[in-house]
Amino acid sequence: NFTYCPATGLAKGNEHSEFAGWAFPFPGVFLKEEFISKDEESEIVELMDRDDWKPSQSGRKKQDYGPKVNFKKQRLKAGSFTGLPSFSKKIVAEMKACSVLGGFFPVEQCNLDYRPERGSAIDPHFDDWWLWGERLVSLNLLSKTVLSMSCDSEDSIQLFPTFSKENEELNPPGSPTLTSVCKNAGAEGIDCVLAPRRVPSREVTVAVPLPRRSLVVLYGDARYKWKHAIYRRHIECRRICVTFRELSAEFSARGRHEELGKELLEIALSFRGRPV
């Protein structure tokens, strides 16, 4: 019932929903359109398709480049992990230009193949945070889709109006313009409906549109508070998602498993890997 707007960082109520004309700040999403070129996309997909795609859950197929992990028992080992694939070296280098990806060193890459004829989807979930760190990075290839965000917490969300009765769009919540307008509603001739309203978090879903060849980063609240999903209705033709994950603090400098983390990063960033 809300759609994320990259230009403002707001989740805006959809036109035909009960939340039309309302919005709230949705932090923790970074979206970069046209992150790679059409030619780069074609080359990457061609290289991927030279290797086997293994069956995965919910109609997906996958290629994994990462350590062998038992998340329930919190155990892992390098196993047959030989690093990220060679074609990812340029992708990882280009990530450094993104403001939110300073110091991002991927230790794992997962390629997922979605097709409508297989009913491909992935249910709402959190990515593990024992091994994987703050930022989840995904490159969306071959077709557009929608990342659907939902929240199970018991708290509520404060919504702000986005339009006056003259239909002029207001500035994002928290800005001086909106604050002064709300305080002087009578003087400005704006309806009293401008008073913020609160709704339970569970009643809110946010669609994050992902254009073809875009890069999306989830961090902060979007990583730890909001679950993400891809629904079948949003897979119109073949789609490949390339997800990169970094190490958690436990496996980083001064962490409990720092040495193991160093070993895994050294393997990952050799860029000589094949799918495990």
Side-chain angles (χ1 to χ4, degrees):
N1 40 37
F2 286 81
T3 298
Y4 177 73
C5 174
T8 62
L10 297 177
K12 296 185 175 182
N14 294 338
E15 183 178 350
H16 300 295
S17 79
E18 63 177 300
F19 301 113
W22 296 87
F24 66 97
F26 195 76
V29 178
F30 171 86
L31 185 67
K32 173 74 173 178
E33 295 191 26
E34 294 294 332
F35 182 75
I36 61 173
S37 68
K38 291 182 180 179
D39 289 342
E40 288 173 320
E41 178 188 48
S42 297
E43 181 182 1
I44 290 169
V45 174
E46 181 185 349
L47 291 170
M48 285 180 182
D49 284 341
R50 292 180 185 178
D51 288 312
D52 292 334
W53 290 89
K54 296 181 179 179
S56 185
Q57 298 173 326
S58 302
R60 292 169 284 133
K61 290 190 175 182
K62 67 178 180 179
Q63 294 174 341
D64 280 326
Y65 300 84
K68 188 175 182 180
V69 187
N70 186 320
F71 290 107
K72 288 184 178 180
K73 295 182 178 179
Q74 294 193 343
R75 294 178 184 170
L76 79 156
K77 57 183 179 180
S80 56
F81 179 39
T82 54
L84 304 189
S86 58
F87 63 78
S88 293
K89 188 171 185 178
K90 184 179 180 182
I91 298 173
V92 172
E94 290 174 347
M95 287 180 188
K96 295 178 182 178
C98 300
S99 57
V100 300
L101 291 177
F104 181 82
F105 299 106
V107 72
E108 192 250 15
Q109 175 179 330
C110 181
N111 305 332
L112 289 172
D113 183 297
Y114 291 74
R115 297 195 190 226
E117 60 267 27
R118 295 198 303 259
S120 300
I122 188 165
D123 292 335
H125 68 283
F126 293 112
D127 278 31
D128 168 82
W129 47 65
W130 163 69
L131 177 59
W132 310 134
E134 168 84 7
R135 295 162 290 188
L136 304 176
V137 183
S138 292
L139 181 61
N140 187 58
L141 303 178
L142 296 183
S143 63
K144 66 179 181 179
T145 192
V146 174
L147 192 65
S148 298
M149 314 292 290
S150 57
C151 185
D152 291 336
S153 72
E154 299 294 336
D155 61 4
S156 60
I157 294 172
Q158 183 163 318
L159 306 180
F160 296 86
T162 54
F163 293 94
S164 68
K165 70 179 181 180
E166 287 84 11
N167 231 22
E168 295 179 355
E169 190 165 3
L170 299 175
N171 288 344
S175 69
T177 302
L178 180 59
T179 303
S180 62
V181 165
C182 290
K183 286 182 178 178
N184 300 287
E188 297 293 331
I190 295 176
D191 295 338
C192 61
V193 74
L194 275 176
R197 66 186 267 205
R198 301 195 75 90
V199 295
S201 297
R202 291 174 181 270
E203 294 182 9
V204 171
T205 56
V206 180
V208 181
L210 301 183
R212 182 174 178 175
R213 293 186 297 279
S214 64
L215 187 85
V216 64
V217 183
L218 301 182
Y219 60 96
D221 280 358
R223 161 80 162 105
Y224 297 113
K225 181 178 177 180
W226 293 80
K227 292 181 178 180
H228 56 277
I230 300 283
Y231 294 119
R232 288 177 176 83
R233 64 182 180 272
H234 294 137
I235 301 298
E236 300 173 359
C237 52
R238 189 186 185 194
R239 178 230 179 198
I240 291 178
C241 173
V242 186
T243 296
F244 300 90
R245 298 179 177 93
E246 64 184 339
L247 290 168
S248 67
E250 191 167 337
F251 292 85
S252 303
R254 295 180 294 279
R256 189 157 60 104
H257 299 299
E258 177 183 0
E259 291 305 313
L260 179 54
K262 284 181 180 179
E263 177 190 348
L264 294 174
L265 267 180
E266 186 175 338
I267 295 171
L269 300 179
S270 70
F271 294 102
R272 295 196 298 260
R274 298 293 302 275
V276 296

